[in-house]
Amino acid sequence: MTSSLRLQVNPATMERSSTSDTGSEKPNPSHHSTGAVQMRIKNSNTHHDRLSQSKSMILSENVKVAEPINRHRRNLSQHNLTIADIISNQEPTVVAKEGYLLKAKIADGGKKLRKNWSTSWIVLTARKMEFYKESKQPAMANLKPGYKPECVDLCGARIEWTSEKSSKKNVFQITTVSGNEFLFQSDIDFLILDWFHAIKNAIDRLPKEQRITSRNLEFKLRRSSSIELLNNLDTESKEPKPEHRKSLIFRLNYSASDTNDRNRIKSRLKKFISRRPSLKTLQEKGLIKDQIFGSHLHSVCEHEKSTVPQFVRLCIEAVEKRGLDVDGIYRVSGNLATIQKLRFVVNQEEKLNLDDSQWEDIHVVTGALKMFFRELPEPLFPYSLFEQFVEAIKIQDNATRIKCIRSLVKKLPRPNYETMKILFQHLQKIAAKESVNLMSTQSLGIVFGPTLLRPEKETGNMAVHMLYQNQIVELMLSEYSKIFGSGED
């Protein structure tokens, strides 16, 4: 059997033929890298067979073999994408705001959680908020692979100021469509206001269609699952199996007896409620005591038969006795747990000794006093006069402004006027020690402005109102003698 091997180099260079019985020549080495090599193996006699069995191979140094592109959808796992994945892929990654805030999660999917405040680095984007333990940029290198920060989907969320969920000031709440609730807080007024408006604007910018869709999605899923469950129950009830007939009859009998029990319990509860003693009777028997915190100022004064609550007098005396020279008095917060303990003692006991060792931290006393005024159902400056005080502070002429403020103060109810007078007299003594305690009239205005006066309904002008609140308190401290003096208007 004979075979022939024919190598053809680029025609521009040379051509060499060789057989198994003859010698071979060496090709010109300068053309190895540029030529194209074609190899043919001849095992047949016919031209057709020779063409069918020939193989050609073209080699090039700069050409890489391209791998086949797999366009099958299943291999890309596109059919497993969820709605959240699609939304997150389309979400812009531009950071609208970031920084530190105090955060507490108080509900998860509608289930209440224990409030636990912690400092978090918060990153706000167009659609969500992400929480980190520390600043995102330096911490990215230390994050473990696959780490996913806790986030809040702002689509359909609701944001509002709240004073009932926490005793801290400057607290707002975010409630998501899924039932998660978060509290955010900062002692710096302009910082928390900036965050509130940034998040609110981000929520308002989201398309209404998407908000409606995200809210209705859960409803549709619940509805579909409930319909499926009802259909299954309907099918089982229409075609009960023989072995389940006895259990079905038992369940029907049990439900009938259960209905009778419920009716019996309802009737007993109605009789119990109709026979229960009134609140006045319980108070007369000493079973329920009047609360100091959270009660109206005039109610506390009427109960104590005075014009100034006794607790306010005791706190002021304690601060003037051992707190006038303390750095940051009324600005520094005391231990919240101890403040709550003091609040409980005030509400349950008649006698209070603030010289006791458990109240030795003067910041606990000042924190409890601020909490008392903050939890009044109606602030020390009544709601009905809030707008008038704001308009008065806008007056440019100082003498006219003081005269207008004085006339409004004279209109206050007797408990409000007397309590305000003794409080501002005390704060004036604090400001007199500014060189020691670093608390000026402006600092005291910032602390007590939002505590003593606020609008009945929060509006979009909260930042402007807060500025006026601080200025009103500051002016009344600076011009105390002219406003609370006995001189004529």
Side-chain angles (χ1 to χ4, degrees), residues 209-224:
E209 293 79 5
Q210 293 185 5
R211 280 185 278 176
I212 295 172
T213 303
S214 60
R215 289 182 178 179
N216 293 342
L217 180 60
E218 184 179 0
F219 170 75
K220 290 181 179 179
L221 291 174
R222 290 180 179 176
R223 183 181 179 186
S224 61

Side-chain angles (χ1 to χ4, degrees), residues 315-378:
C315 289
I316 290 176
E317 292 174 2
V319 174
E320 293 181 354
K321 181 179 180 181
R322 51 191 172 96
L324 291 178
D325 298 334
V326 176
D327 183 10
I329 189 72
Y330 283 111
R331 186 185 72 241
V332 179
S333 301
N335 184 273
L336 182 59
T338 311
I339 294 174
Q340 293 289 359
K341 183 179 179 181
L342 177 58
R343 171 186 176 177
F344 178 80
V345 171
V346 172
N347 281 335
Q348 297 298 322
E349 299 179 6
E350 295 181 359
K351 293 183 179 180
L352 176 64
N353 182 18
L354 290 179
D355 293 329
D356 193 283
S357 59
Q358 59 182 332
W359 320 124
E360 62 181 357
D361 184 6
I362 196 62
H363 296 301
V364 170
V365 179
T366 57
L369 181 60
K370 289 188 294 183
M371 181 182 290
F372 170 80
F373 285 111
R374 189 165 55 245
E375 293 188 359
L376 287 174
E378 186 172 16

Side-chain angles (χ1 to χ4, degrees), residues 443-455:
S443 300
L444 292 171
I446 294 173
V447 173
F448 280 93
T451 301
L452 300 181
L453 38 42
R454 58 183 182 270

Side-chain angles (χ1 to χ4, degrees), residues 144-285:
K144 297 181 180 179
Y147 172 80
K148 291 185 178 181
E150 184 181 9
C151 64
V152 174
D153 184 8
L154 297 179
C155 192
R158 186 176 71 254
I159 182 172
E160 57 187 349
W161 294 99
T162 177
S163 59
E164 300 175 354
K165 302 294 181 67
S166 174
S167 60
K168 295 179 179 290
K169 68 172 185 176
N170 301 338
V171 179
F172 65 82
Q173 175 180 341
I174 294 180
T175 305
T176 65
V177 177
S178 58
N180 296 339
E181 297 179 11
F182 295 87
L183 297 180
F184 299 92
Q185 189 270 344
S186 175
D187 290 331
I188 305 175
D189 298 333
F190 71 88
L191 178 63
I192 195 69
L193 279 172
D194 194 16
W195 270 102
F196 179 86
H197 291 300
I199 298 172
K200 189 175 186 301
N201 291 336
I203 295 174
D204 294 340
R205 278 194 219 101
L206 294 176
K208 295 183 179 180
E209 293 79 5
Q210 293 185 5
R211 280 185 278 176
I212 295 172
T213 303
S214 60
R215 289 182 178 179
N216 293 342
L217 180 60
E218 184 179 0
F219 170 75
K220 290 181 179 179
L221 291 174
R222 290 180 179 176
R223 183 181 179 186
S224 61
S225 59
S226 60
I227 291 175
E228 183 179 356
L229 178 62
L230 290 173
N231 290 336
N232 293 338
L233 292 175
D234 192 22
T235 305
E236 291 179 0
S237 61
K238 286 181 180 179
E239 299 177 359
K241 296 181 180 180
E243 58 269 20
H244 296 315
R245 288 178 181 174
K246 292 184 179 180
S247 61
L248 183 61
I249 295 174
F250 172 76
R251 276 184 285 175
L252 291 174
N253 293 335
Y254 179 78
S255 61
S257 60
D258 188 36
T259 303
N260 294 332
D261 291 339
R262 289 181 181 178
N263 294 334
R264 193 180 304 111
I265 293 173
K266 285 182 179 179
S267 61
R268 289 182 179 180
L269 285 175
K270 289 180 180 179
K271 290 180 181 179
F272 173 77
I273 293 173
S274 61
R275 295 175 183 175
R276 67 177 180 176
S278 62
L279 178 61
K280 184 177 180 180
T281 304
L282 294 175
Q283 290 176 344
E284 291 175 353
K285 291 182 178 180

Side-chain angles (χ1 to χ4, degrees), residues 36 41 44 47 71 84 87 116 149 166 220 319 322 355 419 425 452 459 463:
I41 301 175
S44 177
H47 176 71
R71 302 183 182 277
I87 294 176
N116 185 16
S166 174
K220 290 181 179 179
V319 174
R322 51 191 172 96
D355 293 329
T419 304
Q425 185 180 16
L452 300 181
T459 61

